[in-house]
mmCIF file with all atom_site columns, all heavy atoms in Angstrom:
data_model
loop_
_atom_site.group_PDB
_atom_site.id
_atom_site.type_symbol
_atom_site.label_atom_id
_atom_site.label_alt_id
_atom_site.label_comp_id
_atom_site.label_asym_id
_atom_site.label_entity_id
_atom_site.label_seq_id
_atom_site.pdbx_PDB_ins_code
_atom_site.Cartn_x
_atom_site.Cartn_y
_atom_site.Cartn_z
_atom_site.occupancy
_atom_site.B_iso_or_equiv
_atom_site.pdbx_formal_charge
_atom_site.auth_seq_id
_atom_site.auth_comp_id
_atom_site.auth_asym_id
_atom_site.auth_atom_id
_atom_site.pdbx_PDB_model_num
ATOM   1  N  N   . CYS T 1 107 ? -9.412  -16.304 -10.441 1.00 91.00 ? 107 CYS T N   1
ATOM   2  C  CA  . CYS T 1 107 ? -9.444  -17.493 -11.267 1.00 91.00 ? 107 CYS T CA  1
ATOM   3  C  C   . CYS T 1 107 ? -8.140  -17.559 -12.047 1.00 91.00 ? 107 CYS T C   1
ATOM   4  O  O   . CYS T 1 107 ? -7.569  -16.540 -12.402 1.00 91.00 ? 107 CYS T O   1
ATOM   5  C  CB  . CYS T 1 107 ? -10.680 -17.407 -12.150 1.00 91.00 ? 107 CYS T CB  1
ATOM   6  S  SG  . CYS T 1 107 ? -10.804 -18.782 -13.312 1.00 91.00 ? 107 CYS T SG  1
ATOM   7  N  N   . HIS T 1 109 ? -7.981  -18.516 -14.962 1.00 90.00 ? 109 HIS T N   1
ATOM   8  C  CA  . HIS T 1 109 ? -8.216  -18.374 -16.388 1.00 90.00 ? 109 HIS T CA  1
ATOM   9  C  C   . HIS T 1 109 ? -7.846  -17.026 -16.899 1.00 90.00 ? 109 HIS T C   1
ATOM   10 O  O   . HIS T 1 109 ? -6.819  -16.702 -17.378 1.00 90.00 ? 109 HIS T O   1
ATOM   11 C  CB  . HIS T 1 109 ? -9.613  -18.762 -16.718 1.00 90.00 ? 109 HIS T CB  1
ATOM   12 C  CG  . HIS T 1 109 ? -10.139 -18.580 -18.194 1.00 90.00 ? 109 HIS T CG  1
ATOM   13 N  ND1 . HIS T 1 109 ? -11.180 -18.151 -18.672 1.00 90.00 ? 109 HIS T ND1 1
ATOM   14 C  CD2 . HIS T 1 109 ? -9.340  -18.802 -19.300 1.00 90.00 ? 109 HIS T CD2 1
ATOM   15 C  CE1 . HIS T 1 109 ? -11.287 -18.054 -20.002 1.00 90.00 ? 109 HIS T CE1 1
ATOM   16 N  NE2 . HIS T 1 109 ? -10.103 -18.534 -20.370 1.00 90.00 ? 109 HIS T NE2 1
ATOM   17 N  N   . LEU T 1 110 ? -8.821  -16.110 -16.534 1.00 89.00 ? 110 LEU T N   1
ATOM   18 C  CA  . LEU T 1 110 ? -8.540  -14.749 -16.883 1.00 89.00 ? 110 LEU T CA  1
ATOM   19 C  C   . LEU T 1 110 ? -8.352  -13.793 -15.655 1.00 89.00 ? 110 LEU T C   1
ATOM   20 O  O   . LEU T 1 110 ? -8.366  -12.587 -15.831 1.00 89.00 ? 110 LEU T O   1
ATOM   21 C  CB  . LEU T 1 110 ? -9.787  -14.225 -17.649 1.00 89.00 ? 110 LEU T CB  1
ATOM   22 C  CG  . LEU T 1 110 ? -10.146 -14.907 -19.068 1.00 89.00 ? 110 LEU T CG  1
ATOM   23 C  CD1 . LEU T 1 110 ? -11.207 -14.449 -19.803 1.00 89.00 ? 110 LEU T CD1 1
ATOM   24 C  CD2 . LEU T 1 110 ? -8.812  -14.691 -19.916 1.00 89.00 ? 110 LEU T CD2 1
ATOM   25 N  N   . CYS T 1 112 ? -10.431 -13.336 -13.133 1.00 89.00 ? 112 CYS T N   1
ATOM   26 C  CA  . CYS T 1 112 ? -11.722 -12.783 -12.542 1.00 89.00 ? 112 CYS T CA  1
ATOM   27 C  C   . CYS T 1 112 ? -11.799 -13.239 -11.101 1.00 89.00 ? 112 CYS T C   1
ATOM   28 O  O   . CYS T 1 112 ? -11.385 -14.296 -10.747 1.00 89.00 ? 112 CYS T O   1
ATOM   29 C  CB  . CYS T 1 112 ? -12.937 -13.272 -13.451 1.00 89.00 ? 112 CYS T CB  1
ATOM   30 S  SG  . CYS T 1 112 ? -12.995 -12.747 -15.108 1.00 89.00 ? 112 CYS T SG  1
ATOM   31 N  N   . CYS T 1 125 ? -15.408 -19.440 -11.209 1.00 83.00 ? 125 CYS T N   1
ATOM   32 C  CA  . CYS T 1 125 ? -15.535 -20.312 -12.323 1.00 83.00 ? 125 CYS T CA  1
ATOM   33 C  C   . CYS T 1 125 ? -15.203 -21.723 -11.739 1.00 83.00 ? 125 CYS T C   1
ATOM   34 O  O   . CYS T 1 125 ? -14.606 -21.926 -10.787 1.00 83.00 ? 125 CYS T O   1
ATOM   35 C  CB  . CYS T 1 125 ? -14.469 -19.987 -13.336 1.00 83.00 ? 125 CYS T CB  1
ATOM   36 S  SG  . CYS T 1 125 ? -14.234 -18.269 -13.433 1.00 83.00 ? 125 CYS T SG  1
ATOM   37 N  N   . PRO T 1 137 ? -13.445 -23.322 -18.182 1.00 89.00 ? 137 PRO T N   1
ATOM   38 C  CA  . PRO T 1 137 ? -12.084 -23.072 -18.845 1.00 89.00 ? 137 PRO T CA  1
ATOM   39 C  C   . PRO T 1 137 ? -10.880 -22.934 -17.801 1.00 89.00 ? 137 PRO T C   1
ATOM   40 O  O   . PRO T 1 137 ? -9.774  -22.695 -18.377 1.00 89.00 ? 137 PRO T O   1
ATOM   41 C  CB  . PRO T 1 137 ? -12.466 -21.821 -19.549 1.00 89.00 ? 137 PRO T CB  1
ATOM   42 C  CG  . PRO T 1 137 ? -13.382 -21.119 -18.863 1.00 89.00 ? 137 PRO T CG  1
ATOM   43 C  CD  . PRO T 1 137 ? -14.349 -22.197 -18.163 1.00 89.00 ? 137 PRO T CD  1
ATOM   44 N  N   . PRO T 1 138 ? -11.049 -22.903 -16.513 1.00 90.00 ? 138 PRO T N   1
ATOM   45 C  CA  . PRO T 1 138 ? -9.740  -22.646 -15.756 1.00 90.00 ? 138 PRO T CA  1
ATOM   46 C  C   . PRO T 1 138 ? -8.635  -23.729 -16.116 1.00 90.00 ? 138 PRO T C   1
ATOM   47 O  O   . PRO T 1 138 ? -8.926  -24.899 -16.152 1.00 90.00 ? 138 PRO T O   1
ATOM   48 C  CB  . PRO T 1 138 ? -10.222 -22.799 -14.330 1.00 90.00 ? 138 PRO T CB  1
ATOM   49 C  CG  . PRO T 1 138 ? -11.659 -22.497 -14.312 1.00 90.00 ? 138 PRO T CG  1
ATOM   50 C  CD  . PRO T 1 138 ? -12.151 -23.066 -15.572 1.00 90.00 ? 138 PRO T CD  1
HETATM 51 S  S1  . LIG Z 2 .   ? -12.047 -16.145 -15.510 1.00 87.99 ? 1   LIG Z S1  1
HETATM 52 FE FE1 . LIG Z 2 .   ? -12.547 -17.973 -14.514 1.00 87.99 ? 1   LIG Z FE1 1
HETATM 53 S  S2  . LIG Z 2 .   ? -13.115 -19.349 -16.164 1.00 87.99 ? 1   LIG Z S2  1
HETATM 54 FE FE2 . LIG Z 2 .   ? -12.617 -17.449 -17.137 1.00 87.99 ? 1   LIG Z FE2 1
#
Side-chain angles (χ1 to χ4, degrees):
C107 177
H109 178 219
L110 296 177
C112 298
C125 320

